[in-house]
Amino acid sequence: MRPLIRFLSVAVTVLTVWVTAVWAQGALPPDYGEWRRVADRAAEAIDNDRASEAAMDTLRDQLSLWSEEFSDESSRSRISVTTLEAQLERLGPVPEGGEAEDVAEERRQLELSLSEAKAPVRRAELALTEAQELIRSIDVLLRERHTQILLEPGPFPLNPDLWWPAARELSDSFRLIALEFQTGWVHEKQRNELRKSLPRMLFFLAIAFVLLTRGMRWTERALQSMIRDRVHLSATRWIAVFCLSYGQVVLPMLGVFAFSKAVYATDLPGLRGDVVLSILPLMTFELLTARWLGERVFSRNERPLLLVNLTEAEKRKGRRASTVLGAMLALSSLFVELARYESWTRGTEAVVFFVTTVVAAYFLGLLGRLVSSHAGSMRAEEDGPLTAIGQLISLLGRYTVLVSLIGGVLATIGLTRGASYLVFSSTRTVFLVAFLLVAQRVIQKIFSALNGRDDDESPLAAVLAGIGIVILSLPVFLMCWGAQVSDLQQIWRNISDGLQFGDLILSPENILLLIVVYAFGHAVTRLSQSFLRDNILPKTRLDAGGQTAVVSGAGYIGIFLAALIALTVAGINLGNIALFAGALSVGIGFGLQNIVSNFVSGIILLIERPVSEGDWIDVNGQMGYVRDISVRSTRIETFDRTDVVIPNSDLISGTVTNYTRGNTVGRVIVPVGVAYGTDTRWVEGILREIAEAHPMVLANPAPAVVFQGFGADSLNFEIRAILRDVNWMLTVKSDLNHEIARRFVEEGIEIPFAQRDIWLRNPETLRGEAPAANKPAKPVAQSSTPVSATPTPPDLDDMDGADGDGDGDGR
């Protein structure tokens, strides 16, 4: 039997390797000969450092493609390696005394197959490492070039001798673009091609003309019709108006794309024309988005979509500043591409970028002052501090003003490229922050519409959605400051590979899987708790407290299992967590003793249930009903309707009186006193009749009347009765006292109150007479009680004073 099992094991292994090889053949292996030529060319370009920036970008893109191909090849080949390693691990180590021949042969075959399977993996990984190193070297080289360009001082831009050559070189660039179109028109072949593509060109040109000339006007008319004659906009209409307003960007952008299609259909653009046409959509987007944001933030309508606390004149300045900044952004993008392609002189670059940077810096500073003015009014109270959004906007306003000043100074002293980078990157950042604030307002309105409200209250889901949008916009922030798409791809690749902490690797996939599995387990736990509470436990004999304990225990167990399964599925080694928990236990032992004690006490309360919800308890002088038992503390509601939170450790280690544990039967004691001289048996019978007549008093055991003794002022009795529900103790006590008072009046029984005789020493002093020697004082005021004997006063000659202080004043 064992040889048959080994044979089947080897057959399964060979079949697995064969299937893996066949699957791998579906994708051709990398051409390592071609890769070697690309790698050598990249290494030579890096060593010489003479290739242009465009050539370096092209070379980097090629290396990125090779890197992805090697990564895929490594993943494909690793499957067979993993399978073979699992088979060898299953065989286990070689026994000390040796192993059977068939097992040894099987082990040798598996080791040979593993060595052959590792060869392509090792080769792909080596090539991948080389590609990544070459990409890193190109990135370092390009970064050094950019830094040198930004920090290297250029000619003084205010030098008049530079302006005319700069204007001539700039006009020559545009003239050469027009000359390319002219040259293309001269050739008969291209004219023939133009005639063939004339219908398509005219079609796109017509679309471009209509969208560029009418698109924004159509959008404006639609907006006015939607908000006309409406005092208040509902959340749904607000969202519709906002989405429609973005047509001011979308329709002209479509017109620009149609225009580019029409020009490309002529086949007339040359290399320079292609540069302009490729950058034209970006220029249009920057200009239109800046203008659209200006219209949204500094709205000219009486009922704006966004409320800004500025005057109409300030809003007009804000709209103008946004439009000019958008135009300067578009021109800057165009001039950067032309300067790279045309190889402008440093004097021309200094003059061109000086003009655009200074103009942009001025309007950026104006925008910053307007933003700061608006932020100053964003307070929760009139004299209170700024709100969180107000602080953010205020910081943004101060930052833009500072950047405008620094950018203008740097551009004036000759650091035009560095100043241009600072000003325009900051401008893009400001516009992106404005867009995120607008998006947050849209999210608030969306949640308001979903909840059927028209207010601007932000639920937690809206806040979390806004935070998610901010996180997703982080790559855009990096691109505003010059990051390339390839850089972002490399960052994402590094993040996808995971961050390693010892043997623990955290990657986005693992974290997302962990969250999804735990969320599913948490939902199942809550559903199970509801099923237990509503369908199963009510049909058992458990009381309300026991049912609550079972539901709570099931919740804790379910959450613990959900977390354990989520960690296991995510591939997180629980041994690392155990080590961390061991280290954390030291801190728990010193700093979290009370919390742990309360937690353990809460578990004991839920298991033993000495106290349940609804019980009437007295603990540490706090009396009330138990309303909630959690893991850390217990909440009781006092008779004053106040909530008192008591640590669970007090309920376990302290003395707790539970008046309703097990049942609600309890005893009430009603004390009463009668005057001296009253027939005690008569009083006892009356009190017994009163107690037995109350419906809440149990007949078995029967109520008892106890003659407690002789008090200072009365004969003291007590009614001791067992009640059906001790929760009615005060009500029963009040009823009994009312009935006692009524019956005693009917029977002529007097309830005494405390009285005393007051004696004054030397009363003649009050009448102005000289006191006689050794003459005892006479009582001048005496109050006798009819129901008790008046105590005989002591001999005054033997007293220092009636009041005991020796001065004889009686006070």
Side-chain angles (χ1 to χ4, degrees):
M1 189 66 182
R2 291 181 59 189
L4 179 60
I5 294 176
R6 294 193 186 97
F7 174 76
L8 292 176
S9 175
V10 173
V12 169
T13 303
V14 173
L15 181 61
T16 303
V17 174
W18 178 78
V19 171
T20 304
V22 171
W23 175 80
Q25 288 176 1
L28 296 176
D31 187 352
Y32 288 98
E34 180 63 25
W35 156 247
R36 180 45 39 201
R37 288 189 289 271
V38 173
D40 292 341
R41 188 167 67 253
E44 183 180 359
I46 294 172
D47 292 337
N48 295 334
D49 193 12
R50 294 179 181 177
S52 63
E53 185 175 344
M56 284 292 189
D57 288 338
T58 303
L59 194 58
R60 191 191 189 285
D61 293 339
Q62 293 178 2
L63 293 174
S64 297
L65 293 176
W66 280 105
S67 176
E68 294 177 1
E69 187 172 352
F70 293 142
S71 179
D72 295 339
E73 174 67 14
S74 176
S75 299
R76 287 192 299 267
S77 303
R78 192 176 295 277
I79 297 177
S80 59
V81 173
T82 304
T83 304
L84 292 170
E85 287 178 345
Q87 292 289 334
L88 282 172
E89 184 179 358
R90 185 68 175 176
L91 286 178
V94 179
E96 295 182 359
E99 57 186 356
E101 182 63 27
D102 53 350
V103 177
E105 180 63 24
E106 179 182 352
R107 187 186 300 275
R108 284 193 296 271
Q109 290 296 331
L110 289 175
E111 291 176 349
L112 179 61
S113 300
L114 179 61
S115 177
E116 294 175 353
K118 282 185 176 181
V121 176
R122 189 178 299 109
R123 189 174 186 184
E125 289 180 348
L126 290 175
L128 176 62
T129 304
E130 184 180 6
Q132 291 177 346
E133 184 62 27
L134 290 173
I135 291 173
R136 190 191 65 80
S137 300
I138 291 178
D139 290 340
V140 171
L141 184 61
L142 292 178
R143 197 172 295 113
E144 290 176 353
R145 288 185 181 182
H146 292 164
T147 304
Q148 184 178 2
I149 291 174
L150 295 178
L151 299 181
E152 184 178 5
F156 184 59
L158 297 180
N159 186 359
D161 295 336
L162 299 177
W163 285 74
W164 176 249
R168 186 173 61 249
E169 192 168 1
L170 182 62
S171 63
D172 287 342
S173 297
F174 289 104
R175 184 177 56 81
L176 291 174
I177 295 174
L179 185 60
E180 287 182 346
F181 282 89
Q182 263 184 336
T183 305
W185 180 257
V186 170
H187 290 83
E188 184 177 356
K189 181 180 179 182
Q190 290 189 347
R191 286 202 304 271
N192 293 334
E193 293 293 335
L194 177 60
R195 292 189 186 97
K196 294 179 182 179
S197 60
L198 186 60
R200 187 159 58 97
M201 181 201 71
L202 293 177
F203 173 74
F204 285 115
L205 199 59
I207 294 177
F209 178 78
V210 172
L211 292 178
L212 290 174
T213 57
R214 299 288 182 178
M216 298 185 70
R217 189 177 303 176
W218 290 343
T219 305
E220 189 64 30
R221 289 178 180 175
L223 287 174
Q224 292 299 330
S225 65
M226 291 190 70
I227 65 176
R228 188 183 296 120
D229 300 331
R230 290 187 178 271
V231 179
H232 177 71
L233 291 178
S234 64
T236 304
R237 182 171 288 271
W238 192 99
I239 297 169
V241 170
F242 179 84
C243 295
L244 182 60
S245 70
Y246 202 68
Q248 296 175 341
V249 177
V250 174
L251 294 182
M253 282 290 297
L254 294 176
V256 170
F257 280 115
F259 175 77
S260 300
K261 279 285 190 181
V263 176
Y264 277 121
T266 63
D267 202 20
L268 295 178
L271 296 177
R272 293 180 178 84
D274 185 67
V275 170
V276 175
L277 288 176
S278 63
I279 201 66
L280 187 60
L282 175 62
M283 296 170 56
T284 308
F285 176 78
E286 291 176 338
L287 174 60
L288 295 178
T289 301
R291 184 181 182 277
W292 177 79
L293 283 173
E295 291 289 341
R296 300 287 73 77
V297 177
F298 307 102
S299 178
R300 66 184 73 199
N301 296 318
E302 296 180 359
R303 294 181 300 278
L305 298 181
L306 295 176
L307 298 176
V308 177
N309 298 319
L310 297 175
T311 63
E312 290 299 324
E314 290 175 332
K315 290 182 180 180
R316 192 161 47 250
K317 291 180 181 179
R319 292 193 296 270
R320 184 171 64 249
S322 298
T323 303
V324 174
L325 281 173
M328 292 299 105
L329 274 175
L331 288 177
S332 175
S333 300
L334 175 62
F335 291 154
V336 168
E337 292 298 323
L338 288 179
R340 179 185 301 178
Y341 184 83
E342 296 288 350
S343 298
W344 284 347
T345 62
R346 298 185 62 187
T348 300
E349 289 186 5
V351 172
V352 170
F353 289 109
F354 170 77
V355 173
T356 56
T357 302
V358 170
V359 174
Y362 171 77
F363 284 99
L364 183 63
L366 175 61
L367 197 64
R369 290 192 294 273
L370 294 175
V371 169
S372 298
S373 177
H374 165 64
S377 62
M378 299 182 67
R379 303 177 186 273
E381 300 177 358
E382 185 176 354
D383 297 330
L386 295 177
T387 62
I389 301 298
Q391 294 177 8
L392 174 63
I393 296 177
S394 177
L395 179 63
L396 185 67
R398 291 196 295 268
Y399 170 77
T400 53
V401 172
L402 181 62
V403 166
S404 66
L405 295 175
I406 296 176
V409 172
L410 293 179
T412 303
I413 64 176
L415 292 171
T416 52
R417 292 301 293 268
S420 176
Y421 171 78
L422 176 63
V423 170
F424 288 113
S425 297
S426 300
T427 301
R428 293 186 179 93
T429 302
V430 169
F431 283 146
L432 181 56
V433 172
F435 181 82
L436 292 176
L437 293 175
V438 172
Q440 181 62 37
R441 182 70 184 279
V442 175
I443 292 173
Q444 293 176 4
K445 287 294 184 179
I446 290 175
F447 278 94
S448 297
L450 292 176
N451 295 327
R453 305 194 318 266
D454 292 332
D455 53 31
D456 292 334
E457 292 294 329
S458 299
L460 178 60
V463 176
L464 295 178
I467 295 174
I469 291 179
V470 172
I471 294 174
L472 293 177
S473 66
L474 291 179
V476 185
F477 275 105
L478 295 177
M479 294 180 68
C480 290
W481 289 90
Q484 302 296 322
V485 176
S486 56
D487 298 331
L488 299 178
Q489 291 176 346
Q490 184 62 37
I491 293 174
W492 175 249
R493 193 177 295 112
N494 294 335
I495 295 176
S496 300
D497 293 339
L499 302 177
Q500 187 168 0
F501 302 93
D503 296 334
L504 180 62
I505 299 178
L506 293 179
S507 63
E509 291 82 359
N510 291 340
I511 296 175
L512 181 60
L513 184 62
L514 175 67
I515 294 174
V516 170
V517 174
Y518 177 76
F520 179 77
H522 188 274
V524 171
T525 300
R526 295 308 180 199
L527 184 62
S528 302
Q529 285 182 290
S530 300
F531 189 74
L532 282 172
R533 182 174 54 250
D534 301 333
N535 299 95
I536 296 179
L537 294 178
K539 300 177 181 179
T540 64
R541 297 182 179 180
L542 288 175
D543 57 6
Q547 294 180 16
T548 302
V550 171
V551 172
S552 300
Y556 296 134
I557 294 174
I559 291 176
F560 174 75
L561 291 178
L564 189 64
I565 295 172
L567 292 172
T568 304
V569 172
I572 297 177
N573 187 2
L574 297 180
N576 297 328
I577 298 179
L579 293 176
F580 176 76
L584 186 63
S585 63
V586 178
I588 291 176
F590 288 100
L592 304 178
Q593 300 179 54
N594 293 332
I595 295 177
V596 175
S597 174
N598 291 326
F599 180 83
V600 175
S601 300
I603 299 297
I604 295 175
L605 286 176
L606 293 175
I607 295 176
E608 295 185 355
R609 297 189 295 116
V611 175
S612 302
E613 291 186 12
D615 287 354
W616 174 13
I617 66 172
D618 183 359
V619 54
N620 295 335
Q622 299 291 341
M623 181 181 294
Y625 291 101
V626 177
R627 296 306 185 195
D628 180 64
I629 300 176
S630 63
V631 176
R632 192 196 65 83
S633 61
T634 297
R635 179 174 63 88
I636 68 172
E637 181 184 358
T638 66
F639 300 122
D640 296 331
R641 292 298 187 269
T642 59
D643 284 348
V644 178
V645 179
I646 299 176
N648 287 333
S649 59
D650 291 352
L651 298 176
I652 296 298
S653 60
T655 301
V656 180
T657 302
N658 195 331
Y659 294 95
T660 57
R661 180 62 181 167
N663 56 69
T664 58
V665 176
R667 187 176 69 172
V668 63
I669 298 177
V670 181
V672 63
V674 298
Y676 275 89
T678 308
D679 187 352
T680 57
R681 295 294 181 183
W682 182 35
V683 172
E684 180 181 353
I686 294 175
L687 294 179
R688 182 175 289 106
E689 291 178 6
I690 294 173
E692 292 175 347
H694 199 284
M696 190 61 70
V697 177
L698 292 177
N700 186 20
V705 177
V706 179
F707 181 20
Q708 285 284 61
F710 304 93
D713 305 304
S714 63
L715 302 174
N716 297 329
F717 291 82
E718 281 185 357
I719 298 177
R720 298 189 177 188
I722 304 299
L723 305 181
R724 304 178 188 275
D725 192 345
V726 74
N727 293 299
W728 295 86
M729 177 186 294
L730 293 178
T731 302
V732 173
K733 196 171 186 178
S734 177
D735 293 342
L736 294 179
N737 283 328
H738 281 298
E739 185 65 17
I740 290 171
R742 188 185 68 81
R743 288 290 303 275
F744 278 13
V745 171
E746 290 180 355
E747 302 293 340
I749 300 174
E750 184 177 0
I751 300 177
F753 53 89
Q755 299 187 42
R756 293 291 182 270
D757 292 338
I758 301 175
W759 292 81
L760 297 178
R761 185 179 183 182
N762 301 325
E764 61 274 8
T765 59
L766 298 176
R767 297 190 295 267
E769 300 177 358
N774 297 327
K775 184 179 181 179
K778 296 181 179 180
V780 298
Q782 180 176 353
S783 174
S784 61
T785 180
V787 297
S788 60
T790 303
T792 302
D795 189 6
L796 297 181
D797 290 338
D798 298 330
M799 296 178 60
D800 292 331
D803 55 357
D805 57 4
D807 56 6
D809 58 3
R811 291 177 295 174

